[in-house]
PDB file of all heavy atoms in Angstrom:
ATOM      1  N   LEU E   8      88.815 159.770 -71.019  1.00 95.00           N
ATOM      2  CA  LEU E   8      89.855 159.387 -71.982  1.00 95.00           C
ATOM      3  C   LEU E   8      90.228 160.575 -72.862  1.00 95.00           C
ATOM      4  O   LEU E   8      91.395 160.902 -73.033  1.00 95.00           O
ATOM      5  CB  LEU E   8      89.329 158.262 -72.890  1.00 95.00           C
ATOM      6  CG  LEU E   8      89.327 156.839 -72.331  1.00 95.00           C
ATOM      7  CD1 LEU E   8      88.553 155.929 -73.279  1.00 95.00           C
ATOM      8  CD2 LEU E   8      90.753 156.325 -72.171  1.00 95.00           C
ATOM      9  N   ASP E  69      81.001 160.802 -81.115  1.00 96.00           N
ATOM     10  CA  ASP E  69      82.020 160.006 -81.791  1.00 96.00           C
ATOM     11  C   ASP E  69      82.929 160.929 -82.611  1.00 96.00           C
ATOM     12  O   ASP E  69      84.162 160.832 -82.543  1.00 96.00           O
ATOM     13  CB  ASP E  69      81.319 158.971 -82.695  1.00 96.00           C
ATOM     14  CG  ASP E  69      82.296 158.015 -83.347  1.00 96.00           C
ATOM     15  OD1 ASP E  69      83.486 158.032 -82.973  1.00 96.00           O
ATOM     16  OD2 ASP E  69      81.875 157.254 -84.244  1.00 96.00           O
ATOM     17  N   LEU E  72      85.048 163.288 -80.074  1.00 96.00           N
ATOM     18  CA  LEU E  72      86.067 162.630 -79.259  1.00 96.00           C
ATOM     19  C   LEU E  72      87.052 161.822 -80.096  1.00 96.00           C
ATOM     20  O   LEU E  72      88.069 161.348 -79.584  1.00 96.00           O
ATOM     21  CB  LEU E  72      85.408 161.753 -78.190  1.00 96.00           C
ATOM     22  CG  LEU E  72      84.485 162.498 -77.217  1.00 96.00           C
ATOM     23  CD1 LEU E  72      84.063 161.591 -76.079  1.00 96.00           C
ATOM     24  CD2 LEU E  72      85.140 163.752 -76.659  1.00 96.00           C
ATOM     25  N   SER E  73      86.756 161.638 -81.388  1.00 97.00           N
ATOM     26  CA  SER E  73      87.709 160.977 -82.295  1.00 97.00           C
ATOM     27  C   SER E  73      88.603 161.982 -82.995  1.00 97.00           C
ATOM     28  O   SER E  73      89.463 161.601 -83.796  1.00 97.00           O
ATOM     29  CB  SER E  73      86.953 160.180 -83.375  1.00 97.00           C
ATOM     30  OG  SER E  73      86.149 159.192 -82.796  1.00 97.00           O
ATOM     31  N   ASP E  74      88.394 163.256 -82.711  1.00 97.00           N
ATOM     32  CA  ASP E  74      89.164 164.311 -83.381  1.00 97.00           C
ATOM     33  C   ASP E  74      90.458 164.558 -82.598  1.00 97.00           C
ATOM     34  O   ASP E  74      90.422 165.018 -81.453  1.00 97.00           O
ATOM     35  CB  ASP E  74      88.308 165.588 -83.424  1.00 97.00           C
ATOM     36  CG  ASP E  74      89.032 166.729 -84.122  1.00 97.00           C
ATOM     37  OD1 ASP E  74      90.237 166.568 -84.435  1.00 97.00           O
ATOM     38  OD2 ASP E  74      88.403 167.769 -84.338  1.00 97.00           O
ATOM     39  N   PRO E  75      91.621 164.241 -83.200  1.00 96.00           N
ATOM     40  CA  PRO E  75      92.876 164.391 -82.453  1.00 96.00           C
ATOM     41  C   PRO E  75      93.164 165.835 -82.043  1.00 96.00           C
ATOM     42  O   PRO E  75      93.986 166.073 -81.167  1.00 96.00           O
ATOM     43  CB  PRO E  75      93.936 163.868 -83.427  1.00 96.00           C
ATOM     44  CG  PRO E  75      93.287 163.758 -84.756  1.00 96.00           C
ATOM     45  CD  PRO E  75      91.815 163.706 -84.553  1.00 96.00           C
ATOM     46  N   SER E  78      90.946 165.635 -78.741  1.00 96.00           N
ATOM     47  CA  SER E  78      90.890 164.425 -77.925  1.00 96.00           C
ATOM     48  C   SER E  78      92.291 163.871 -77.675  1.00 96.00           C
ATOM     49  O   SER E  78      93.079 163.696 -78.611  1.00 96.00           O
ATOM     50  CB  SER E  78      90.042 163.370 -78.644  1.00 96.00           C
ATOM     51  OG  SER E  78      89.992 162.180 -77.900  1.00 96.00           O
ATOM     52  N   ALA E  79      92.574 163.575 -76.412  1.00 96.00           N
ATOM     53  CA  ALA E  79      93.874 162.997 -76.074  1.00 96.00           C
ATOM     54  C   ALA E  79      93.951 161.534 -76.511  1.00 96.00           C
ATOM     55  O   ALA E  79      95.028 161.000 -76.723  1.00 96.00           O
ATOM     56  CB  ALA E  79      94.111 163.105 -74.570  1.00 96.00           C
ATOM     57  N   GLU E  80      92.779 160.880 -76.611  1.00 96.00           N
ATOM     58  CA  GLU E  80      92.746 159.454 -76.980  1.00 96.00           C
ATOM     59  C   GLU E  80      91.709 159.271 -78.084  1.00 96.00           C
ATOM     60  O   GLU E  80      90.649 158.659 -77.856  1.00 96.00           O
ATOM     61  CB  GLU E  80      92.335 158.605 -75.765  1.00 96.00           C
ATOM     62  CG  GLU E  80      93.357 158.584 -74.666  1.00 96.00           C
ATOM     63  CD  GLU E  80      94.110 157.272 -74.632  1.00 96.00           C
ATOM     64  OE1 GLU E  80      94.107 156.537 -75.653  1.00 96.00           O
ATOM     65  OE2 GLU E  80      94.700 156.989 -73.589  1.00 96.00           O
ATOM     66  N   PRO E  81      91.973 159.793 -79.282  1.00 96.00           N
ATOM     67  CA  PRO E  81      90.934 159.784 -80.316  1.00 96.00           C
ATOM     68  C   PRO E  81      90.420 158.383 -80.660  1.00 96.00           C
ATOM     69  O   PRO E  81      89.227 158.230 -80.943  1.00 96.00           O
ATOM     70  CB  PRO E  81      91.596 160.452 -81.519  1.00 96.00           C
ATOM     71  CG  PRO E  81      93.049 160.527 -81.213  1.00 96.00           C
ATOM     72  CD  PRO E  81      93.199 160.447 -79.725  1.00 96.00           C
ATOM     73  N   GLU E  82      91.286 157.384 -80.624  1.00 97.00           N
ATOM     74  CA  GLU E  82      90.804 156.046 -81.006  1.00 97.00           C
ATOM     75  C   GLU E  82      89.975 155.422 -79.905  1.00 97.00           C
ATOM     76  O   GLU E  82      88.856 154.955 -80.129  1.00 97.00           O
ATOM     77  CB  GLU E  82      91.987 155.147 -81.364  1.00 97.00           C
ATOM     78  CG  GLU E  82      92.484 155.455 -82.764  1.00 97.00           C
ATOM     79  CD  GLU E  82      93.584 154.522 -83.221  1.00 97.00           C
ATOM     80  OE1 GLU E  82      93.662 153.391 -82.717  1.00 97.00           O
ATOM     81  OE2 GLU E  82      94.360 154.961 -84.081  1.00 97.00           O
ATOM     82  N   ARG E  83      90.512 155.418 -78.694  1.00 96.00           N
ATOM     83  CA  ARG E  83      89.797 154.740 -77.594  1.00 96.00           C
ATOM     84  C   ARG E  83      88.539 155.502 -77.182  1.00 96.00           C
ATOM     85  O   ARG E  83      87.513 154.900 -76.873  1.00 96.00           O
ATOM     86  CB  ARG E  83      90.731 154.557 -76.393  1.00 96.00           C
ATOM     87  CG  ARG E  83      91.832 153.538 -76.678  1.00 96.00           C
ATOM     88  CD  ARG E  83      92.838 153.501 -75.558  1.00 96.00           C
ATOM     89  NE  ARG E  83      92.292 152.955 -74.323  1.00 96.00           N
ATOM     90  CZ  ARG E  83      92.719 153.264 -73.104  1.00 96.00           C
ATOM     91  NH1 ARG E  83      93.705 154.123 -72.951  1.00 96.00           N
ATOM     92  NH2 ARG E  83      92.171 152.725 -72.041  1.00 96.00           N
ATOM     93  N   ALA E  84      88.608 156.846 -77.170  1.00 96.00           N
ATOM     94  CA  ALA E  84      87.431 157.612 -76.756  1.00 96.00           C
ATOM     95  C   ALA E  84      86.300 157.464 -77.780  1.00 96.00           C
ATOM     96  O   ALA E  84      85.136 157.274 -77.419  1.00 96.00           O
ATOM     97  CB  ALA E  84      87.802 159.086 -76.571  1.00 96.00           C
ATOM     98  N   GLY E  85      86.664 157.514 -79.074  1.00 96.00           N
ATOM     99  CA  GLY E  85      85.642 157.332 -80.116  1.00 96.00           C
ATOM    100  C   GLY E  85      85.046 155.931 -80.043  1.00 96.00           C
ATOM    101  O   GLY E  85      83.834 155.744 -80.172  1.00 96.00           O
ATOM    102  N   ALA E  86      85.922 154.927 -79.810  1.00 96.00           N
ATOM    103  CA  ALA E  86      85.438 153.543 -79.717  1.00 96.00           C
ATOM    104  C   ALA E  86      84.488 153.385 -78.536  1.00 96.00           C
ATOM    105  O   ALA E  86      83.498 152.646 -78.602  1.00 96.00           O
ATOM    106  CB  ALA E  86      86.621 152.588 -79.586  1.00 96.00           C
ATOM    107  N   MET E  87      84.766 154.098 -77.445  1.00 96.00           N
ATOM    108  CA  MET E  87      83.898 154.021 -76.266  1.00 96.00           C
ATOM    109  C   MET E  87      82.497 154.537 -76.608  1.00 96.00           C
ATOM    110  O   MET E  87      81.484 153.931 -76.237  1.00 96.00           O
ATOM    111  CB  MET E  87      84.513 154.850 -75.130  1.00 96.00           C
ATOM    112  CG  MET E  87      83.708 154.855 -73.857  1.00 96.00           C
ATOM    113  SD  MET E  87      83.735 153.259 -73.016  1.00 96.00           S
ATOM    114  CE  MET E  87      85.327 153.344 -72.221  1.00 96.00           C
ATOM    115  N   VAL E  88      82.434 155.636 -77.349  1.00 96.00           N
ATOM    116  CA  VAL E  88      81.118 156.182 -77.739  1.00 96.00           C
ATOM    117  C   VAL E  88      80.388 155.179 -78.630  1.00 96.00           C
ATOM    118  O   VAL E  88      79.186 154.937 -78.467  1.00 96.00           O
ATOM    119  CB  VAL E  88      81.284 157.536 -78.468  1.00 96.00           C
ATOM    120  CG1 VAL E  88      79.933 158.035 -78.973  1.00 96.00           C
ATOM    121  CG2 VAL E  88      81.906 158.570 -77.539  1.00 96.00           C
ATOM    122  N   ARG E  89      81.116 154.543 -79.535  1.00 96.00           N
ATOM    123  CA  ARG E  89      80.460 153.565 -80.426  1.00 96.00           C
ATOM    124  C   ARG E  89      79.973 152.352 -79.625  1.00 96.00           C
ATOM    125  O   ARG E  89      78.938 151.763 -79.943  1.00 96.00           O
ATOM    126  CB  ARG E  89      81.414 153.148 -81.548  1.00 96.00           C
ATOM    127  CG  ARG E  89      81.686 154.290 -82.524  1.00 96.00           C
ATOM    128  CD  ARG E  89      82.403 153.823 -83.792  1.00 96.00           C
ATOM    129  NE  ARG E  89      83.764 153.377 -83.556  1.00 96.00           N
ATOM    130  CZ  ARG E  89      84.830 154.191 -83.402  1.00 96.00           C
ATOM    131  NH1 ARG E  89      84.657 155.498 -83.483  1.00 96.00           N
ATOM    132  NH2 ARG E  89      86.023 153.710 -83.187  1.00 96.00           N
TER     133      ARG E  89
END
Side-chain angles (χ1 to χ4, degrees):
L8 281 170
D69 185 9
L72 300 189
S73 300
D74 181 352
S78 179
E80 292 255 19
E82 281 185 25
R83 291 173 68 208
M87 180 70 79
V88 175
R89 291 192 292 280

